[in-house]
Amino acid sequence: MLDIRFIRDNIDLVKAAMANRNATVDLDAVLALDNRRRAIVNEAEELKAGRNRVSRNIGQMIKEGKDPETVKAQVREMGDKIAAFDEELRDVEARLREGLLFIPNIPSETTPVGKDEKDNPVVRVWGGKKSFDFTPRPHWDLGEALGIFDFARGAKIAGSGFPLFKGAGAKLERALIQFMLDLHTSEHGYTEIAPPFMCNETAMTGTGQLPKFAEDMYTVALDGLYPIPTAEVPVTNMYGNEILDAELPILHTAYTPCFRREAGSAGKDTRGLLRVHQFDKVELVKFTTPETSAEEHEKLTADAERVLQRLGLHYRVVELCTGDLGFSAAKCYDIELWAPAQDKWLEVSSCSNFKDYQARRANIRFRDENGKPAYVHTLNGSGVALPRLVIAIMENNQAADGSIDLPEVLWPYMGGMKRLEK
């Protein structure tokens, strides 16, 4: 969430940032609410001071034998006006907060300006496209033939977009999760967290999913809970309304399933594992000082990339321009895997620096060098998401007979299995 004082003092900058984002935000309405809030506070304070002055006269009038009823009536009238101001203030502050919650973050100064994903520059590429002496088959054909997942039965249980893995497919999911968690905890310095898979409205608001993206969320209405769309939500909100005592940066990683109602437009990229409502993901989350967040963002992105390097997969890193930037992010890199049967790049991770945007919403602070509370900077990224990772492993490592060679780093996690085959 943006600081209303920052908006007030830098309105032209904020309006330009919203234009670069292609964001439709009524900043003038937000400022009008802020002006009314400040006016109410000033008027109420003047009334309270006046009431205190008048009230002090009542005792003196009684001592002098004068009738204080007129003054008492004046005090009651002033009290009624103060109560009315207090009620209006609560309403204005609620509407102001609601307005602020719908304003996206300010893009970083280094974020490229652009309209949409076509303006996202490629930062680097790792590896190269594999050549085949046969036409590579899509993962849904490979997986069905190998018997490692069953989309029809998954749909029968929960509807389309809820994949069902079985046998070696289920084992591959588990192996990838274990491999990534081991890599991030043993080599990259992250502490593993096993968080709840459900969060309340406060937590979802703290990281920016609510209220803006309420329609994309699954809900458990009777309990006021939300199945999480990403481990970012519970892990970040671990420290909500706290002043952190630990030395920064704090590095956490977590595996969770993820639930998202929105899974692409109808009929687009919906075959197989391309877009699903439930998927597994290993997440990376950092809490840093403002001075180190840019450097830690680069490190976090490198940590996610190392997963793909160990698996021997061809990928590229693109930087999101202002028009394609996520709601809460100030700067973001997308990591995309090459899928030969799709003949296109598939996003497998978004590594974002939110600066103090989420910390203001969730009230997460630390003590600066002067001992004063200040907002932390939060960062996160997938390290990485599994559906498209599985797609890339299957499609890039397939043989003409439909078998799939597994990356060597996974062999120990697969009980020595080196190949998926019938």
Side-chain angles (χ1 to χ4, degrees), residues 76-120:
R76 286 194 295 270
E77 182 180 357
M78 297 172 79
D80 291 340
K81 289 181 179 179
I82 291 169
F85 275 134
D86 289 343
E87 184 176 351
E88 184 184 1
L89 181 62
R90 286 190 292 270
D91 175 67
V92 169
E93 286 181 335
R95 288 191 289 140
L96 175 59
R97 177 172 171 78
E98 183 78 1
L100 289 171
L101 289 175
F102 277 93
I103 300 175
N105 201 355
I106 300 291
S108 166
E109 293 179 356
T110 60
T111 295
V113 176
K115 293 183 178 180
D116 52 38
E117 60 183 8
K118 296 177 182 178
D119 294 325
N120 294 339

Side-chain angles (χ1 to χ4, degrees), residues 48-348:
K48 289 175 182 177
R51 182 180 60 178
N52 290 339
R53 287 194 300 270
V54 174
S55 296
R56 285 194 292 268
N57 293 332
I58 295 176
Q60 185 63 33
M61 292 178 69
I62 293 175
K63 287 181 180 179
E64 295 175 357
K66 298 178 181 179
D67 186 359
E69 286 306 315
T70 300
V71 177
K72 286 183 178 181
Q74 184 180 0
V75 169
R76 286 194 295 270
E77 182 180 357
M78 297 172 79
D80 291 340
K81 289 181 179 179
I82 291 169
F85 275 134
D86 289 343
E87 184 176 351
E88 184 184 1
L89 181 62
R90 286 190 292 270
D91 175 67
V92 169
E93 286 181 335
R95 288 191 289 140
L96 175 59
R97 177 172 171 78
E98 183 78 1
L100 289 171
L101 289 175
F102 277 93
I103 300 175
N105 201 355
I106 300 291
S108 166
E109 293 179 356
T110 60
T111 295
V113 176
K115 293 183 178 180
D116 52 38
E117 60 183 8
K118 296 177 182 178
D119 294 325
N120 294 339
V122 176
V123 177
R124 54 186 168 270
V125 177
W126 193 90
K129 295 180 182 178
K130 185 176 179 179
S131 60
F132 296 87
D133 55 8
F134 60 92
T135 301
R137 298 164 62 185
H139 70 282
W140 54 82
D141 284 349
L142 292 167
E144 292 283 0
L146 292 170
I148 63 174
F149 41 62
D150 190 331
F151 296 117
R153 287 192 170 95
K156 179 173 65 174
I157 297 167
S160 63
F162 291 90
L164 184 151
F165 293 86
K166 62 180 183 178
K171 193 168 188 176
L172 177 60
E173 282 276 303
R174 179 160 47 91
L176 285 166
I177 293 167
Q178 188 66 57
F179 158 66
M180 289 186 284
L181 289 173
D182 284 351
L183 176 64
H184 295 315
T185 55
S186 64
E187 296 188 28
H188 298 159
Y190 292 79
T191 298
E192 184 176 352
I193 303 296
F197 297 164
M198 307 277 278
C199 280
N200 57 30
E201 182 177 346
T202 299
M204 297 290 279
T205 302
T207 42
Q209 280 73 26
L210 290 179
K212 175 70 173 176
F213 303 105
E215 293 183 356
D216 294 342
M217 305 294 113
Y218 286 100
T219 63
V220 183
L222 292 178
D223 298 305
L225 295 174
Y226 298 80
I228 60 172
T230 166
E232 164 197 346
V233 181
V235 176
T236 302
N237 281 281
M238 284 171 55
Y239 301 112
N241 295 314
E242 292 187 24
I243 299 177
L244 301 179
D245 293 325
E247 183 178 354
L248 299 180
I250 295 173
L251 282 60
H252 288 329
T253 184
Y255 152 73
T256 66
C258 304
F259 305 90
R260 300 184 184 183
R261 184 184 298 276
E262 191 281 324
S265 56
K268 182 182 178 183
D269 293 341
T270 55
R271 293 201 67 179
L273 298 172
L274 285 167
R275 288 187 181 273
V276 290
H277 293 299
Q278 177 185 325
F279 61 94
D280 293 321
K281 181 157 65 80
V282 171
E283 188 78 353
L284 306 174
V285 178
K286 288 188 177 186
F287 304 84
T288 77
T289 64
E291 294 77 16
T292 61
S293 69
E295 177 185 357
E296 292 296 336
H297 185 207
E298 300 296 328
K299 290 181 180 179
L300 182 146
T301 305
D303 292 340
E305 289 181 65
R306 203 161 291 115
V307 171
L308 309 182
Q309 293 169 5
R310 295 288 178 87
L311 293 169
L313 296 171
H314 175 41
Y315 72 85
R316 70 179 186 180
V317 179
V318 300
E319 184 173 3
L320 300 195
C321 69
T322 54
D324 197 32
L325 199 60
F327 180 81
S328 299
K331 187 178 182 68
C332 181
Y333 297 113
D334 272 5
I335 306 175
E336 301 175 340
L337 285 168
W338 178 250
Q342 319 302 311
D343 192 33
K344 64 181 178 181
W345 296 97
L346 302 177
E347 177 201 325
V348 74

